[in-house]
Coordinates of all heavy atoms in Angstrom, one line a residue:
S1 N 148.8 106.4 73.0 CA 149.6 107.1 72.0 C 148.9 107.1 70.6 O 149.3 107.9 69.8 CB 151.0 106.3 71.9 OG 150.7 105.0 71.4
I2 N 148.0 106.2 70.3 CA 147.3 106.2 69.1 C 146.3 107.3 69.1 O 146.1 108.0 68.1 CB 146.6 104.8 68.9 CG1 147.6 103.8 68.7 CG2 145.7 104.9 67.7 CD1 147.1 102.4 68.6
L3 N 145.6 107.6 70.2 CA 144.5 108.6 70.3 C 145.0 110.0 70.0 O 144.3 110.7 69.3 CB 143.9 108.6 71.7 CG 143.1 107.4 72.1 CD1 142.7 107.5 73.5 CD2 141.9 107.2 71.2
Q4 N 146.3 110.3 70.4 CA 146.8 111.7 70.1 C 147.0 111.9 68.6 O 147.1 113.1 68.2 CB 147.9 112.0 70.9 CG 149.2 111.2 70.5 CD 150.4 111.4 71.5 OE1 150.2 112.0 72.5 NE2 151.5 110.9 71.1
H5 N 147.2 110.9 67.8 CA 147.4 111.1 66.4 C 146.2 111.0 65.5 O 146.3 111.1 64.3 CB 148.5 110.0 65.9 CG 149.8 110.1 66.6 ND1 150.6 111.2 66.5 CD2 150.3 109.3 67.6 CE1 151.7 111.0 67.2 NE2 151.6 109.9 67.9
L6 N 145.0 110.9 66.1 CA 143.8 110.7 65.3 C 143.4 112.0 64.6 O 143.0 112.0 63.5 CB 142.6 110.3 66.2 CG 142.7 108.8 66.6 CD1 141.5 108.5 67.5 CD2 142.6 107.9 65.4
N7 N 143.6 113.2 65.2 CA 143.2 114.4 64.7 C 144.4 115.4 64.6 O 144.3 116.6 64.9 CB 142.1 115.1 65.6 CG 140.8 114.3 65.5 OD1 140.5 113.7 64.5 ND2 140.1 114.3 66.6
E8 N 145.5 114.9 64.2 CA 146.7 115.7 64.0 C 147.1 116.5 65.3 O 147.4 117.7 65.2 CB 146.5 116.7 62.8 CG 146.3 116.0 61.5 CD 147.4 115.1 61.0 OE1 148.5 115.4 61.3 OE2 147.1 114.0 60.5
G9 N 147.1 115.9 66.4 CA 147.5 116.5 67.6 C 146.4 117.3 68.3 O 146.6 117.8 69.5
H10 N 145.2 117.6 67.8 CA 144.1 118.3 68.4 C 143.1 117.3 69.0 O 142.3 116.8 68.2 CB 143.5 119.2 67.4 CG 144.4 120.2 66.8 ND1 144.9 121.3 67.6 CD2 145.0 120.3 65.6 CE1 145.8 121.9 66.8 NE2 145.8 121.4 65.6
E11 N 143.3 117.0 70.2 CA 142.4 115.9 70.8 C 141.0 116.5 71.1 O 141.0 117.6 71.7 CB 143.1 115.4 72.1 CG 144.3 114.5 71.8 CD 144.8 113.9 73.1 OE1 144.6 114.5 74.2 OE2 145.5 112.9 73.1
S12 N 140.1 115.8 70.9 CA 138.7 116.2 71.2 C 138.5 115.9 72.7 O 139.3 115.2 73.3 CB 137.6 115.5 70.4 OG 137.6 114.1 70.8
E13 N 137.4 116.5 73.2 CA 137.2 116.1 74.7 C 136.9 114.7 74.9 O 137.4 114.1 75.9 CB 135.9 116.9 75.1 CG 135.7 116.8 76.6 CD 134.5 117.7 77.1 OE1 134.0 118.5 76.3 OE2 134.1 117.5 78.3
A14 N 136.3 114.0 74.0 CA 136.1 112.5 74.1 C 137.4 111.8 74.2 O 137.6 110.8 74.9 CB 135.2 112.1 73.0
Q15 N 138.4 112.2 73.2 CA 139.6 111.5 73.2 C 140.4 111.8 74.5 O 141.2 110.9 75.1 CB 140.5 112.0 72.0 CG 140.0 111.5 70.8 CD 140.7 112.2 69.6 OE1 141.0 113.4 69.6 NE2 141.0 111.4 68.5
Q16 N 140.4 113.0 75.1 CA 141.0 113.3 76.3 C 140.5 112.5 77.4 O 141.2 112.0 78.3 CB 141.0 114.8 76.6 CG 141.7 115.7 75.7 CD 141.6 117.2 75.9 OE1 140.7 117.6 76.6 NE2 142.5 117.9 75.3
I17 N 139.1 112.3 77.5 CA 138.5 111.6 78.5 C 138.9 110.1 78.4 O 139.2 109.4 79.4 CB 136.9 111.7 78.5 CG1 136.6 113.1 78.9 CG2 136.2 110.7 79.3 CD1 135.2 113.5 78.7
A18 N 138.9 109.6 77.1 CA 139.4 108.2 76.9 C 140.8 108.0 77.4 O 141.2 107.0 78.0 CB 139.3 107.8 75.4
T19 N 141.7 109.0 77.1 CA 143.1 108.9 77.5 C 143.2 108.8 79.0 O 143.9 108.1 79.6 CB 143.9 110.0 76.9 OG1 143.8 110.0 75.5 CG2 145.4 110.0 77.4
F20 N 142.5 109.7 79.7 CA 142.4 109.7 81.1 C 141.9 108.5 81.7 O 142.5 108.0 82.7 CB 141.5 110.9 81.6 CG 141.3 111.0 83.0 CD1 142.3 111.3 83.9 CD2 140.1 110.6 83.6 CE1 142.2 111.3 85.3 CE2 139.9 110.6 85.0 CZ 140.9 111.0 85.9
L21 N 140.8 107.9 81.1 CA 140.3 106.7 81.7 C 141.2 105.5 81.6 O 141.4 104.6 82.4 CB 138.9 106.3 81.1 CG 137.8 107.3 81.5 CD1 136.5 106.9 80.6 CD2 137.6 107.2 83.0
C22 N 142.0 105.4 80.4 CA 143.0 104.4 80.2 C 144.1 104.5 81.2 O 144.6 103.5 81.8 CB 143.5 104.5 78.8 SG 142.4 104.0 77.5
R23 N 144.6 105.8 81.4 CA 145.6 106.0 82.4 C 145.1 105.6 83.8 O 145.8 105.0 84.6 CB 146.1 107.4 82.4 CG 146.9 107.7 81.1 CD 147.3 109.1 81.0 NE 148.0 109.4 79.8 CZ 148.3 110.7 79.5 NH1 148.0 111.8 80.1 NH2 149.0 110.9 78.3
L24 N 143.9 106.0 84.1 CA 143.4 105.7 85.4 C 143.3 104.2 85.6 O 143.6 103.7 86.7 CB 142.0 106.3 85.6 CG 141.3 106.2 86.9 CD1 142.1 107.0 87.9 CD2 139.8 106.7 86.8
F25 N 142.9 103.4 84.6 CA 142.8 102.0 84.6 C 144.2 101.4 84.9 O 144.4 100.5 85.8 CB 142.3 101.4 83.3 CG 142.2 99.9 83.3 CD1 141.3 99.2 84.0 CD2 143.2 99.3 82.5 CE1 141.3 97.8 84.0 CE2 143.2 97.9 82.5 CZ 142.2 97.1 83.2
I26 N 145.2 101.9 84.2 CA 146.6 101.4 84.4 C 147.1 101.7 85.8 O 147.6 100.8 86.5 CB 147.5 102.0 83.4 CG1 147.3 101.4 82.0 CG2 149.0 101.8 83.8 CD1 147.9 102.1 80.9
Y27 N 146.9 102.9 86.3 CA 147.4 103.3 87.6 C 146.6 102.6 88.7 O 147.2 102.0 89.6 CB 147.4 104.8 87.8 CG 148.4 105.5 87.0 CD1 148.1 106.6 86.1 CD2 149.7 105.1 86.9 CE1 149.0 107.2 85.4 CE2 150.7 105.7 86.2 CZ 150.3 106.8 85.4 OH 151.2 107.5 84.6
L28 N 145.3 102.6 88.7 CA 144.5 102.0 89.8 C 144.6 100.4 89.7 O 144.7 99.8 90.7 CB 143.1 102.4 89.8 CG 143.0 103.9 90.2 CD1 141.5 104.3 90.1 CD2 143.5 104.3 91.5
G29 N 144.4 99.9 88.5 CA 144.4 98.5 88.4 C 145.7 97.8 88.5 O 145.9 97.0 89.5
S30 N 146.6 98.2 87.7 CA 148.0 97.5 87.7 C 148.8 97.9 89.0 O 149.3 97.1 89.7 CB 148.8 97.8 86.5 OG 148.1 97.4 85.4
M31 N 148.9 99.2 89.2 CA 149.8 99.7 90.3 C 149.1 99.4 91.6 O 149.8 99.0 92.6 CB 150.0 101.2 90.2 CG 151.0 101.7 91.1 SD 151.5 103.4 90.8 CE 150.0 104.3 91.0
G32 N 147.8 99.4 91.7 CA 147.1 99.1 93.0 C 147.3 97.6 93.4 O 147.6 97.4 94.5
Q33 N 147.1 96.7 92.4 CA 147.3 95.3 92.7 C 148.8 95.0 93.1 O 149.1 94.3 94.0 CB 146.9 94.5 91.5 CG 147.1 93.0 91.6 CD 146.7 92.2 90.4 OE1 146.5 92.8 89.4 NE2 146.5 90.9 90.6
L34 N 149.7 95.6 92.3 CA 151.2 95.4 92.6 C 151.5 95.9 94.0 O 152.2 95.3 94.7 CB 152.1 96.1 91.6 CG 152.2 95.5 90.2 CD1 152.8 96.4 89.2 CD2 152.9 94.1 90.4
F35 N 151.0 97.1 94.4 CA 151.3 97.7 95.7 C 150.8 96.8 96.8 O 151.4 96.6 97.8 CB 150.7 99.1 95.8 CG 151.1 99.8 97.0 CD1 152.3 100.4 97.2 CD2 150.1 99.8 98.1 CE1 152.6 101.0 98.3 CE2 150.4 100.5 99.2 CZ 151.7 101.1 99.4
I36 N 149.5 96.3 96.6 CA 148.9 95.4 97.7 C 149.7 94.2 97.8 O 150.0 93.7 98.9 CB 147.4 95.2 97.4 CG1 146.6 96.5 97.6 CG2 146.9 94.1 98.2 CD1 145.2 96.4 97.1
N37 N 150.1 93.6 96.7 CA 150.8 92.3 96.8 C 152.2 92.5 97.4 O 152.7 91.7 98.2 CB 151.0 91.7 95.3 CG 149.7 91.0 94.9 OD1 148.8 90.7 95.6 ND2 149.6 90.9 93.5
Q38 N 152.9 93.6 97.0 CA 154.2 93.8 97.6 C 154.1 94.1 99.1 O 154.9 93.7 99.9 CB 154.9 95.0 96.9 CG 155.3 94.7 95.5 CD 156.4 93.6 95.4 OE1 157.4 93.7 96.2 NE2 156.3 92.7 94.4
A39 N 153.1 94.9 99.5 CA 152.9 95.2 100.9 C 152.6 94.0 101.7 O 153.1 93.8 102.8 CB 151.8 96.3 101.0
R40 N 151.7 93.1 101.2 CA 151.4 91.9 101.9 C 152.7 91.0 102.1 O 152.9 90.5 103.2 CB 150.4 91.0 101.1 CG 149.0 91.6 101.3 CD 148.0 90.7 100.6 NE 146.7 91.2 100.7 CZ 145.8 90.9 99.8 NH1 146.0 90.0 98.8 NH2 144.6 91.5 99.9
R41 N 153.5 90.9 101.0 CA 154.7 90.0 101.1 C 155.7 90.7 102.1 O 156.4 89.9 102.8 CB 155.3 89.8 99.8 CG 154.4 88.9 98.9 CD 155.1 88.6 97.6 NE 154.3 87.6 96.9 CZ 153.8 87.8 95.7 NH1 153.9 88.9 95.1 NH2 153.0 86.9 95.1
L42 N 155.8 92.0 102.0 CA 156.8 92.6 102.9 C 156.3 92.5 104.4 O 157.1 92.2 105.3 CB 156.9 94.1 102.6 CG 157.8 95.0 103.4 CD1 159.2 94.4 103.4 CD2 157.8 96.4 103.0
A43 N 155.0 92.7 104.6 CA 154.5 92.6 106.0 C 154.7 91.1 106.5 O 155.0 91.0 107.7 CB 153.0 92.9 106.0
S44 N 154.5 90.1 105.6 CA 154.7 88.8 106.0 C 156.1 88.5 106.4 O 156.4 87.9 107.4 CB 154.2 87.9 104.9 OG 154.5 86.5 105.2
D45 N 157.0 89.0 105.6 CA 158.5 88.7 105.9 C 158.9 89.5 107.1 O 159.7 89.0 107.9 CB 159.3 89.1 104.7 CG 159.4 88.0 103.7 OD1 158.8 86.9 103.9 OD2 160.0 88.3 102.6
C46 N 158.3 90.7 107.4 CA 158.7 91.5 108.5 C 158.1 90.8 109.8 O 158.8 90.8 110.9 CB 158.1 92.9 108.4 SG 159.0 93.9 107.3
K47 N 156.9 90.2 109.7 CA 156.2 89.6 110.8 C 157.0 88.3 111.3 O 157.2 88.1 112.4 CB 154.8 89.2 110.4 CG 154.0 88.7 111.5 CD 152.6 88.4 111.1 CE 151.7 87.9 112.3 NZ 150.3 87.6 111.9
T48 N 157.5 87.6 110.3 CA 158.3 86.4 110.5 C 159.8 86.6 110.6 O 160.6 85.7 110.8 CB 158.0 85.3 109.5 OG1 158.4 85.8 108.2 CG2 156.6 84.9 109.5
K49 N 160.2 87.9 110.4 CA 161.6 88.2 110.5 C 162.4 87.4 109.4 O 163.5 87.0 109.7 CB 162.2 88.1 111.8 CG 161.5 89.1 112.8 CD 162.1 89.1 114.1 CE 161.3 90.1 115.0 NZ 161.4 90.1 116.3
S50 N 161.8 87.3 108.2 CA 162.5 86.6 107.2 C 163.3 87.5 106.3 O 162.8 88.0 105.3 CB 161.5 85.8 106.3 OG 160.8 84.9 107.1
F51 N 164.5 87.8 106.7 CA 165.4 88.7 105.9 C 166.7 87.9 105.5 O 167.1 87.0 106.3 CB 165.8 89.9 106.7 CG 164.6 90.9 106.9 CD1 163.8 90.8 108.1 CD2 164.3 91.9 106.0 CE1 162.7 91.7 108.2 CE2 163.3 92.7 106.2 CZ 162.5 92.6 107.3
V52 N 167.2 88.3 104.4 CA 168.5 87.6 103.9 C 169.5 88.8 103.7 O 169.1 89.8 103.2 CB 168.2 86.9 102.6 CG1 169.5 86.3 102.0 CG2 167.1 85.9 102.8
S53 N 170.7 88.4 104.1 CA 171.8 89.4 103.8 C 172.3 89.3 102.4 O 172.7 88.2 102.0 CB 172.9 89.2 104.8 OG 172.5 89.6 106.1
V54 N 172.4 90.3 101.7 CA 173.0 90.4 100.4 C 174.0 91.4 100.5 O 173.8 92.6 100.4 CB 171.9 90.7 99.3 CG1 172.6 90.9 97.9 CG2 170.8 89.8 99.2
G55 N 175.3 91.0 100.6 CA 176.4 91.9 100.9 C 176.2 92.4 102.3 O 176.1 91.6 103.2
C56 N 176.1 93.7 102.5 CA 175.9 94.3 103.8 C 174.5 94.8 104.0 O 174.2 95.5 104.9 CB 177.0 95.4 104.0 SG 176.7 96.7 102.8
I57 N 173.6 94.5 103.0 CA 172.2 94.9 103.1 C 171.3 93.7 103.4 O 171.4 92.7 102.7 CB 171.8 95.6 101.7 CG1 172.7 96.8 101.5 CG2 170.4 96.0 101.7 CD1 172.5 97.4 100.1
K58 N 170.4 93.9 104.3 CA 169.3 92.9 104.5 C 168.1 93.3 103.7 O 167.6 94.3 103.8 CB 169.0 92.9 106.0 CG 170.0 92.2 106.9 CD 169.6 92.0 108.3 CE 170.6 91.2 109.0 NZ 170.1 90.8 110.3
I59 N 167.7 92.2 102.9 CA 166.4 92.4 102.1 C 165.4 91.4 102.5 O 165.8 90.3 103.1 CB 166.7 92.3 100.6 CG1 167.3 90.9 100.3 CG2 167.7 93.5 100.2 CD1 167.3 90.7 98.8
P60 N 164.1 91.6 102.3 CA 163.1 90.7 102.6 C 163.3 89.4 101.8 O 163.7 89.5 100.6 CB 161.8 91.3 102.3 CG 162.1 92.8 102.2 CD 163.5 92.9 101.9
E61 N 163.1 88.2 102.4 CA 163.3 87.0 101.7 C 162.5 86.8 100.4 O 163.0 86.2 99.4 CB 163.0 85.8 102.6 CG 163.5 84.5 102.1 CD 163.3 83.4 103.2 OE1 163.3 83.7 104.4 OE2 163.3 82.2 102.7
Y62 N 161.4 87.4 100.3 CA 160.5 87.2 99.2 C 161.1 87.8 97.9 O 160.8 87.4 96.8 CB 159.1 87.8 99.4 CG 159.0 89.3 99.2 CD1 158.5 89.8 97.9 CD2 159.2 90.1 100.1 CE1 158.4 91.1 97.8 CE2 159.1 91.5 100.0 CZ 158.6 92.0 98.7 OH 158.5 93.3 98.6
L63 N 162.1 88.8 98.1 CA 162.8 89.4 97.0 C 163.8 88.5 96.3 O 164.4 88.8 95.2 CB 163.3 90.8 97.3 CG 162.3 91.8 97.5 CD1 163.1 93.1 98.0 CD2 161.5 92.1 96.3
L64 N 164.1 87.3 96.9 CA 165.1 86.4 96.2 C 164.4 85.8 95.0 O 165.1 85.3 94.1 CB 165.4 85.3 97.2 CG 166.3 85.9 98.4 CD1 166.7 84.7 99.4 CD2 167.6 86.5 97.9
D65 N 163.1 85.7 95.0 CA 162.4 85.1 93.8 C 162.4 86.3 92.7 O 162.0 87.4 92.9 CB 160.9 84.8 94.1 CG 160.2 84.2 93.0 OD1 160.8 83.7 92.1 OD2 158.9 84.3 93.0
M66 N 162.8 85.9 91.5 CA 163.0 86.9 90.4 C 161.6 87.5 90.0 O 161.6 88.6 89.6 CB 163.7 86.2 89.2 CG 165.1 85.8 89.4 SD 166.1 87.3 89.9 CE 166.2 88.1 88.3
Q67 N 160.5 86.7 90.1 CA 159.2 87.3 89.8 C 158.8 88.3 90.7 O 158.3 89.4 90.4 CB 158.2 86.1 89.7 CG 156.8 86.7 89.3 CD 155.8 85.5 89.1 OE1 156.1 84.4 89.4 NE2 154.6 85.9 88.7
N68 N 159.1 88.1 92.0 CA 158.8 89.2 93.0 C 159.6 90.3 92.8 O 159.2 91.5 93.0 CB 158.9 88.6 94.4 CG 157.8 87.6 94.7 OD1 156.8 87.7 94.2 ND2 158.2 86.6 95.6
M69 N 160.9 90.2 92.5 CA 161.8 91.3 92.3 C 161.4 92.1 91.0 O 161.4 93.3 91.0 CB 163.2 90.8 92.1 CG 164.3 91.9 92.2 SD 166.0 91.4 91.9 CE 166.2 90.5 93.4
G70 N 160.9 91.4 90.0 CA 160.5 92.0 88.8 C 159.2 92.8 89.1 O 159.0 93.9 88.6
S71 N 158.3 92.2 89.9 CA 157.1 93.0 90.3 C 157.4 94.3 91.1 O 156.8 95.3 90.9 CB 156.2 92.1 91.1 OG 155.7 91.0 90.3
L72 N 158.4 94.2 91.9 CA 158.8 95.3 92.7 C 159.3 96.4 91.7 O 159.1 97.6 91.9 CB 159.8 95.0 93.8 CG 160.3 96.2 94.6 CD1 159.1 96.8 95.3 CD2 161.4 95.7 95.5
A73 N 160.2 96.0 90.8 CA 160.7 96.9 89.8 C 159.6 97.6 89.0 O 159.7 98.8 88.7 CB 161.7 96.2 88.9
L74 N 158.6 96.8 88.5 CA 157.5 97.3 87.8 C 156.7 98.3 88.6 O 156.3 99.4 88.1 CB 156.6 96.2 87.3 CG 155.3 96.6 86.5 CD1 155.8 97.4 85.3 CD2 154.6 95.4 86.2
L75 N 156.5 98.1 89.9 CA 155.8 99.0 90.8 C 156.5 100.3 90.9 O 156.0 101.4 90.8 CB 155.6 98.3 92.2 CG 155.0 99.3 93.2 CD1 153.6 99.6 92.9 CD2 155.0 98.5 94.6
I76 N 157.9 100.2 91.0 CA 158.7 101.4 91.2 C 158.6 102.2 89.9 O 158.5 103.5 89.9 CB 160.1 101.1 91.5 CG1 160.2 100.5 93.0 CG2 161.1 102.3 91.4 CD1 161.5 99.9 93.3
I77 N 158.7 101.5 88.8 CA 158.5 102.3 87.4 C 157.2 102.9 87.3 O 157.1 104.1 86.9 CB 158.9 101.3 86.3 CG1 160.4 100.9 86.3 CG2 158.5 101.9 85.0 CD1 160.7 99.8 85.4
L78 N 156.1 102.2 87.6 CA 154.8 102.8 87.6 C 154.6 104.0 88.6 O 154.0 105.0 88.2 CB 153.7 101.8 87.9 CG 153.4 100.8 86.8 CD1 152.5 99.7 87.2 CD2 152.8 101.5 85.6
L79 N 155.3 104.0 89.7 CA 155.2 105.1 90.6 C 155.9 106.2 90.0 O 155.5 107.4 90.2 CB 155.8 104.7 92.0 CG 154.9 103.8 92.9 CD1 155.7 103.3 94.1 CD2 153.7 104.6 93.3
L80 N 157.1 106.0 89.4 CA 157.8 107.1 88.8 C 157.0 107.7 87.6 O 157.0 108.9 87.5 CB 159.2 106.6 88.3 CG 160.2 106.3 89.4 CD1 161.4 105.7 88.8 CD2 160.5 107.6 90.2
M81 N 156.4 106.9 86.8 CA 155.5 107.4 85.7 C 154.4 108.2 86.3 O 154.0 109.2 85.7 CB 154.9 106.1 84.9 CG 155.9 105.5 84.0 SD 155.3 104.0 83.2 CE 153.8 104.7 82.5
C82 N 153.8 107.8 87.4 CA 152.7 108.5 88.0 C 153.1 109.9 88.4 O 152.3 110.9 88.4 CB 152.2 107.7 89.2 SG 150.6 108.3 89.9
T83 N 154.4 110.1 88.8 CA 154.9 111.4 89.2 C 155.0 112.3 88.1 O 155.0 113.6 88.3 CB 156.3 111.3 90.0 OG1 157.2 110.9 89.1 CG2 156.1 110.4 91.2
Q84 N 155.0 111.8 86.9 CA 155.2 112.6 85.7 C 153.9 112.8 84.9 O 153.9 113.4 83.9 CB 156.2 112.0 84.8 CG 157.6 111.8 85.4 CD 158.2 113.2 85.9 OE1 158.2 114.2 85.1 NE2 158.6 113.2 87.1
E85 N 152.8 112.3 85.5 CA 151.5 112.4 84.8 C 151.0 113.8 84.7 O 150.8 114.5 85.8 CB 150.5 111.5 85.6 CG 149.2 111.4 85.0 CD 149.2 110.8 83.6 OE1 149.8 109.7 83.4 OE2 148.6 111.4 82.6
P86 N 150.8 114.3 83.5 CA 150.3 115.7 83.3 C 148.9 116.0 83.9 O 148.7 117.1 84.4 CB 150.3 115.9 81.8 CG 150.6 114.6 81.2 CD 150.9 113.6 82.3
I87 N 148.1 115.0 84.1 CA 146.8 115.3 84.6 C 146.8 115.7 86.1 O 146.0 116.5 86.5 CB 145.8 114.1 84.4 CG1 144.4 114.5 84.6 CG2 146.2 113.0 85.4 CD1 143.8 115.1 83.4
F88 N 147.9 115.3 86.8 CA 148.0 115.7 88.2 C 148.5 117.2 88.3 O 148.0 117.9 89.2 CB 148.9 114.8 89.0 CG 148.4 113.4 89.0 CD1 149.3 112.3 88.7 CD2 147.2 113.1 89.5 CE1 148.8 111.0 88.8 CE2 146.7 111.9 89.6 CZ 147.5 110.7 89.2
Y89 N 149.3 117.6 87.4 CA 149.7 119.0 87.3 C 148.5 119.9 87.1 O 148.3 120.9 87.7 CB 150.8 119.3 86.3 CG 152.0 118.6 86.6 CD1 152.6 117.6 85.6 CD2 152.8 118.8 87.7 CE1 153.8 117.0 85.9 CE2 154.0 118.1 88.0 CZ 154.4 117.2 87.1 OH 155.6 116.6 87.3
C90 N 147.7 119.5 86.1 CA 146.5 120.2 85.7 C 145.5 120.2 86.9 O 144.8 121.2 87.1 CB 145.8 119.7 84.5 SG 146.9 119.8 83.0
A91 N 145.3 119.1 87.6 CA 144.4 119.0 88.7 C 144.7 120.1 89.8 O 143.8 120.7 90.3 CB 144.3 117.7 89.3
G92 N 146.0 120.3 90.0 CA 146.3 121.2 91.1 C 146.0 122.7 90.6 O 145.7 123.5 91.4
E93 N 146.2 123.0 89.3 CA 146.0 124.3 88.8 C 144.6 124.6 88.4 O 144.2 125.8 88.4 CB 146.9 124.5 87.6 CG 148.4 124.5 87.9 CD 149.2 124.4 86.6 OE1 148.6 124.6 85.5 OE2 150.4 124.3 86.8
Q94 N 143.8 123.6 88.2 CA 142.4 123.8 87.6 C 141.4 123.5 88.7 O 140.2 123.3 88.3 CB 142.3 122.7 86.5 CG 143.2 122.9 85.4 CD 142.9 124.1 84.6 OE1 141.7 124.5 84.4 NE2 143.9 124.7 84.1
A95 N 141.6 123.6 89.9 CA 140.6 123.4 91.0 C 139.2 124.0 90.7 O 139.2 125.2 90.6 CB 141.1 123.8 92.3
G96 N 138.3 123.3 90.3 CA 137.0 123.8 90.0 C 136.7 124.0 88.5 O 135.6 124.0 88.1
R97 N 137.7 124.0 87.7 CA 137.5 124.2 86.2 C 137.7 122.8 85.6 O 138.2 121.8 86.2 CB 138.5 125.1 85.6 CG 138.3 126.5 86.1 CD 139.2 127.5 85.4 NE 140.6 127.1 85.4 CZ 141.5 128.0 85.2 NH1 141.3 129.2 85.0 NH2 142.8 127.6 85.2
R98 N 137.3 122.6 84.3 CA 137.4 121.4 83.6 C 138.8 121.1 83.3 O 139.6 121.9 82.8 CB 136.6 121.4 82.3 CG 135.1 121.4 82.6 CD 134.3 121.2 81.4 NE 134.9 120.9 80.2 CZ 134.3 121.1 79.0 NH1 133.0 121.5 79.0 NH2 134.9 120.7 77.9
L99 N 139.3 119.9 83.6 CA 140.6 119.5 83.3 C 140.9 119.2 81.9 O 142.0 119.6 81.4 CB 141.0 118.1 84.1 CG 141.0 118.2 85.6 CD1 141.1 116.8 86.2 CD2 142.0 119.1 86.0
A100 N 140.0 118.7 81.1 CA 140.2 118.3 79.8 C 140.5 119.5 78.8 O 141.2 119.4 77.8 CB 139.0 117.6 79.3
A101 N 140.2 120.7 79.2 CA 140.4 121.8 78.3 C 141.8 122.2 78.3 O 142.4 122.7 77.3 CB 139.6 123.1 78.8
S102 N 142.6 122.0 79.4 CA 144.0 122.5 79.3 C 145.1 121.4 79.6 O 146.2 121.7 79.5 CB 144.2 123.6 80.4 OG 143.9 123.2 81.6
A103 N 144.6 120.2 80.1 CA 145.6 119.2 80.4 C 146.2 118.6 79.1 O 145.4 118.3 78.3 CB 145.0 118.1 81.2
P104 N 147.5 118.4 79.1 CA 148.1 117.8 77.9 C 147.8 116.3 77.9 O 147.5 115.7 78.8 CB 149.6 118.0 78.1 CG 149.8 118.5 79.5 CD 148.5 118.9 80.0

């Protein structure tokens, strides 16, 4: 958010690349690690059939821990953010051309 205000809204190619790399780091680093951890815990609970009934819904037992539930919520939020990422819209339209020239 700081990078876009450096040149009054006109980002240079270097700023666009820096923004892209920061977003890539967040998505691959944070979301990747969260996804792997959640998948491992879910697979472990499925393998041992460790489910708990909450009302009429059965959930994996690992979600009873508030930290694990918070991690799952963060993963879902990052996935939703990823669906709104402008670089993916540009990637589909720009096949073969430079993304930085037209991606917001």
Side-chain angles (χ1 to χ4, degrees):
S1 65
I2 294 172
L3 292 175
Q4 68 186 11
H5 298 292
L6 288 177
N7 294 328
E8 302 297 325
H10 302 289
E11 291 183 335
S12 69
E13 185 176 351
Q15 289 172 321
Q16 290 176 347
I17 291 170
T19 301
F20 173 74
L21 291 175
C22 289
R23 290 176 180 172
L24 186 67
F25 176 76
I26 289 169
Y27 290 130
L28 292 180
S30 299
M31 191 169 62
Q33 181 182 14
L34 284 170
F35 184 79
I36 290 169
N37 287 339
Q38 291 294 317
R40 282 183 186 159
R41 289 186 175 117
L42 179 61
S44 174
D45 278 357
C46 287
K47 187 176 182 179
T48 60
K49 296 183 178 161
S50 299
F51 290 92
V52 178
S53 292
V54 177
C56 61
I57 299 172
K58 287 190 173 187
I59 62 169
E61 189 174 337
Y62 83 95
L63 288 177
L64 294 178
D65 181 25
M66 291 302 285
Q67 183 175 1
N68 290 330
M69 191 180 295
S71 293
L72 179 62
L74 180 59
L75 175 63
I76 291 169
I77 290 169
L78 283 171
L79 285 169
L80 290 173
M81 285 174 54
C82 192
T83 65
Q84 301 301 311
E85 184 59 51
I87 197 76
F88 297 129
Y89 296 121
C90 295
E93 296 171 4
Q94 299 288 325
R97 295 190 305 202
R98 285 186 14 193
L99 293 173
S102 63

